[in-house]
Amino acid sequence: MAEPVGRPTKYKEEYAFQAEKLCRLGATDKEMADFFNVSKSTLNLWKLEHEDFSDSIKKGKIIADANVADSLYKRAIGYEHEEDKIFLSEGQPIIVPTIKHYPPDSTACFFWLKNRKPEVWRDKQDVNLSGNVGIEVVWQE
């Protein structure tokens, strides 16, 4: 039986779990490669050779993207949440439950619409011109 060629892999099974957590935190492939102390090409090789590693990265990125999309959507339409305000009266804390309201944010609305319906909301307009432009050159001497 032939001996394996090259140096042994640094990959460990627990890297799949760690990669998912890193992706949930928004880590890029470059940042993950730095975390695992390998090159980006090694990280890409691990994705090809270890299905669980690749799946964990995909899962982590999907969850992170979904969380950001949810937050953007909430900012676009406005939202509210419970919040306790703490006051001090005669040396004693008083906790007052309140509702904090965030109005819709127009920048988040535009961003959402431009990405969800670019054919309607994008800044770039397609203009089609047709016809002939006649230019008459007149020489005067």
Side-chain angles (χ1 to χ4, degrees), residues 70-129:
D70 183 54
S71 295
L72 176 64
Y73 178 74
K74 285 179 181 173
R75 278 303 280 142
I77 65 170
Y79 67 101
E80 54 189 36
H81 66 85
E82 294 179 0
E83 177 180 84
D84 289 337
K85 296 226 178 209
I86 301 172
F87 301 97
L88 199 57
S89 175
E90 298 177 9
Q92 296 297 315
I94 299 174
I95 299 172
V96 180
T98 61
I99 302 292
K100 176 113 176 159
H101 177 74
Y102 296 88
D105 180 275
S106 60
T107 303
C109 292
F110 288 135
F111 188 79
W112 179 269
L113 290 169
K114 284 180 186 181
N115 284 284
R116 294 279 289 192
K117 298 244 181 210
E119 68 281 356
V120 176
W121 290 96
R122 68 178 171 204
D123 290 330
K124 178 184 168 192
Q125 299 294 320
D126 291 328
V127 178
N128 294 324
L129 297 175

